[in-house]
Amino acid sequence: MTIDLPVIFTVLMGVAILAYVILDGYDLGVAMLMPAGTAAEQERMVASIGPFWDANQTWLVLGVGLLLVAFPRAHGIVLTSLYLPVIAMLVGLMLRGVSFEFRVKAEGWQREMWHWLLWFGSFVTSVAQGLMLASYITGFRSGFGYFLFGLIVAGGVCGAYVLLGATWLIWRTDGELQRKAVAWTHWGLFWVALGIALVSLATPMVSATVYHKWFDFPRTLALMLLPVASAGAWAWIWRSASGVREAKPVRDWFPFAGTFLLVLLSFAGLAYSLFPYVVMDRMTIWEAAAHPSSLKLVLAGAVVVLPFIVGYTLYAYRVFRGKAPAKLY
C-alpha cells in the first residue's frame, strides 16, 4: 500500500492548527473579556490561563513549521501574501506576552495599563488571524469586496475566541465571575451564530471553487449534516451554561466541550472547502509538497516530537486542574 505523504502532512498541519485555535483561542478570549470584569475578577481571569497560555502557542509554531518543511513551494507564497497580517499577529502576541509578565510586578495605574495592553494585544492577534484566514480562503485576492469579507471573518474569529474564553471561565472559576461568564457565553453564542451565518453566505460568493463544492447536489447532501450538528452544539452550549447558572446538576465543563464541538464542526467545513489546495485555486498539496525523502525524514521526527508535546500538554492540564485560585499566576 502506497502512503500518501502530502495527505498525512496536511492532516498533521490541520490538527496542529485546530489545537492552536482551541487552546490559544480560549486564552485570547479570556483576555478580550477582561475589560468586563472587576479588578479582582481580572486577577482570577489571568490566573485561570496563566499556567497554559505560553505553551498553547506551541501548536501555532508546529503548524507553520509543517507548512515550511512539508510544502516549501507554497510556504513562500502564503507568508509573502500574508506579510502584513502576520506582522500584526506577531506584534499582538509579543504585546500579550510582555503584558502577562509586566503586570505581575506593576501596581496601581500601571497594572491597569498592562491589563488594557493585554486586551489590545489579544484583540489584534485575533483580528489578524481572521484576516489571514479570509485572505487564504479567497486565494489572496485583493479588492474592496474581499476586504469586507476579511472583516466578516475577523469578527467571526473574535466571536469564537470570546465564546471559548467565556466557557473556559465557566469551567475554571466559580461564584460571581462564573455567573458573569454564563452571561458572556449567551452573548457570545449570538455573536458566533451571526458570524457563522455571514461567513457561510459570503464564502461561496468570493470563491467559485467553494460554491461548487457546497452546492453540487445531490452529491453534497451529506454536507447538510454540518449545519444541523452545529445547531445542536449551539443549543447544547446554551442549555448547559444556563444549567450551571441555575445550579442544576450539570458539569461545568459541558459548555466548553460544546464550544469545542462547534469549532470542530466549523473547522471540518473549512477543511472540506479548501482541500486539496494549499494555495487556493493555484497549488494543490501534491504540487507543493517536498521530495518524498524529505517528507519521510520529517515524518520520523514528528512521530518522535508529537508525543512529547501532547504529553506535557496533558500533564500541565492535569497538574493545574480544578478551579483557578486568584493568586495562581
Side-chain angles (χ1 to χ4, degrees):
M1 182 179 65
T2 302
I3 299 176
D4 198 333
L5 289 172
V7 173
I8 291 175
F9 275 93
T10 300
V11 172
L12 288 176
M13 191 167 64
V15 169
I17 294 173
L18 177 61
Y20 171 79
V21 168
I22 297 295
L23 297 179
D24 207 37
Y26 75 72
D27 60 55
L28 289 167
V30 168
M32 285 191 285
L33 285 168
M34 284 184 65
T38 64
E41 289 169 346
Q42 288 175 347
E43 293 296 325
R44 190 86 183 276
M45 293 165 78
V46 171
S48 74
I49 60 177
F52 313 111
W53 71 274
D54 204 6
N56 289 341
Q57 298 175 75
T58 303
W59 295 100
L60 177 62
V61 176
L62 178 62
V64 175
L66 288 173
L67 175 64
L68 170 63
V69 299
F71 306 106
R73 298 177 186 174
H75 182 270
I77 297 174
V78 172
L79 290 190
T80 300
S81 302
L82 299 177
Y83 184 79
L84 289 179
V86 166
I87 292 297
M89 181 186 70
L90 293 176
V91 170
L93 289 173
M94 288 187 291
L95 185 58
R96 183 179 65 152
V98 170
S99 301
F100 253 105
E101 302 302 332
F102 279 30
R103 59 163 292 281
V104 178
K105 300 295 184 181
E107 296 180 358
W109 68 269
Q110 292 183 346
R111 172 167 289 200
E112 183 69 15
M113 177 192 70
W114 288 116
H115 280 165
W116 277 103
L117 289 175
L118 175 59
W119 168 84
F120 181 71
S122 301
F123 176 72
V124 169
T125 299
S126 304
V127 170
Q129 290 176 2
L131 294 175
M132 290 163 62
L133 175 59
S135 183
Y136 188 84
I137 292 172
T138 60
F140 311 115
R141 296 181 178 90
S142 60
F144 183 70
Y146 296 114
F147 176 71
L148 288 180
F149 177 69
L151 293 180
I152 292 173
V153 175
V157 169
C158 288
Y161 286 170
V162 165
L163 182 60
L164 281 165
T167 53
W168 172 262
L169 291 173
I170 292 175
W171 182 12
R172 303 289 296 191
T173 65
D174 50 21
E176 182 61 26
L177 179 55
Q178 187 185 61
R179 286 187 286 273
K180 283 188 176 182
V182 171
W184 296 336
T185 295
H186 287 161
W187 171 71
L189 279 169
F190 286 113
W191 185 354
V192 167
L194 178 62
I196 291 176
L198 291 176
V199 172
S200 299
L201 289 172
T203 301
M205 297 180 185
V206 299
S207 174
T209 300
V210 174
Y211 177 86
H212 290 299
K213 293 192 76 171
W214 285 12
F215 299 106
D216 184 15
F217 296 112
R219 188 175 63 87
T220 56
L221 279 176
L223 195 63
M224 297 300 104
L225 292 175
L226 284 177
V228 173
S230 297
W234 191 97
W236 167 264
I237 300 166
W238 182 282
R239 292 190 62 184
S240 58
S242 298
V244 170
R245 181 184 58 192
E246 297 165 6
K248 292 181 178 179
V250 176
R251 296 187 183 274
D252 50 11
W253 57 268
F254 278 8
F256 186 80
T259 306
F260 170 83
L261 178 60
L262 186 60
V263 173
L264 178 63
L265 291 168
S266 300
F267 192 85
L270 177 64
Y272 171 81
S273 302
L274 297 178
F275 188 81
Y277 291 104
V278 68
V279 179
M280 196 65 177
D281 297 327
R282 293 165 61 183
M283 189 179 295
T284 66
I285 58 174
W286 297 282
E287 295 169 338
H291 192 272
S293 59
S294 299
L295 292 179
K296 290 178 182 178
L297 179 62
V298 175
L299 182 60
V303 169
V304 174
V305 171
L306 273 175
F308 284 97
I309 298 176
V310 174
Y312 76 66
T313 299
L314 294 176
Y315 180 72
Y317 280 87
R318 183 179 183 280
V319 169
F320 295 101
R321 63 189 181 275
K323 302 298 182 181
K327 298 299 182 181
L328 180 62
Y329 191 82

